[in-house]
Amino acid sequence: MRSGTYAHPVSFRADPQAQAARLAAAGVETVLLAYAYHGGRWLLSTSDPGAVADLDAGRWFCPTAPDAGRLAPPVVADLAGPATAALSAAGIRTVAWLVGLHRSTLASTRPDLALRNAFDHPYRHALCPARPEVVEHAADLVRQVAAAPGVSGLDLEAFGYLGWAHQGAHEKLGVALRPADRWLLSLCLCTACATAFAAAGVDPTALAERVRATVRTQLAAPRPAAPDLAEDAVAALGRPLHDTVLAVRAAVVRRLVDAAVAAAGGTPVSLRVTADEYATDGKIGGDLAALGTLTTGLTVSNLHGDLPALAADLAAARPCAGELTAAWNGAVTASPQRDRFAAAYDAALGAGADVFALYAYDLMPADRLDWLRRVTPVREEVPAT
């Protein structure tokens, strides 16, 4: 099992060769490097301790073609190219990490392409995968990055439906929502999704009414969640409607992924997935077997220190994945999560994962590199020919 780490190009801005050499010395064989990302503010801890990085949403590479007429995120900085070159020179494989539809700038300036909930409220943080323009945008992003020098693979995150949570703003509410309520608030009912639902025999207006009624009931008189999210979701929609909604959304996502993989032109593609069919946090949930047939590999991640959840996703993804990547949060310092690195590594190894990657080089304590060095098998020297 190869070792890896996620990283943002901002960590390589001052001295990419030195950072690449440091990672190579720790036994890192794969870096999943952010070529397209959403916004954030990071306090760097390993690559440039104490530096505050304000990350504008966009591309961290120069496109291979002009953007005239394209729906495209702006170029923030051309840092990914030099970082990839340095990593390649150090013998490290670069996988381009793309956060696809989590696009605050585009969703804000083009609300017609944003997710739109049952209350007709557009979500400013996410594009809707049912929109043809969005599918074209995602495919174009993949096409450009796949052609970038030194990129040996792609890791696709947020290539599907996002939802109520994970917006990036200060999200506040006064009444506790159940997981099912959050999922219902994540259902997109824009005109494209409404058309897809109608084609499957669902009345979009009636669906929106049921969603609104359930959420309003929870806000008026909060109820505890059932042990299983599905129980509350089925109670809200009824079994036939519930199952059709999941099936329609899954079909929309498969079309998007299929277009993205085709645009990669043979460059290996791994997709961030989970066995949770209600997921709306950047992972694609549901039928992993179907998704596995479209891609070269699958990536499962758990950034909350939940070993059972990681193990469940590994077990579900392994039979479906050509190459399986397991990602774990290397930035967690609080007990008991900080003592679970070895257990997470062992779970990935036992499940037959091909890559174990820590998230993220920019944010985790420096001693995580020492930990990687200890668990990574010594590379065999390749004899000269």
Side-chain angles (χ1 to χ4, degrees), residues 75-110:
V75 176
V76 177
D78 184 19
L79 295 180
T84 298
L87 290 167
S88 297
I92 298 175
R93 173 176 177 247
T94 298
V95 172
W97 168 27
L98 304 181
V99 180
L101 271 56
H102 192 171
R103 289 274 161 248
S104 300
T105 301
L106 293 177
S108 297
T109 58
R110 289 291 304 274

Side-chain angles (χ1 to χ4, degrees), residues 192-210:
C193 287
T195 299
F197 284 131
V202 172
D203 180 350
T205 301
L207 171 59
E209 289 174 352
R210 297 195 74 154

Side-chain angles (χ1 to χ4, degrees), residues 272-288:
R272 191 81 64 92
V273 297
T274 175
D276 178 8
E277 61 185 348
Y278 299 100
T280 58
D281 60 352
K283 304 175 188 178
I284 297 176
D287 188 351
L288 301 192

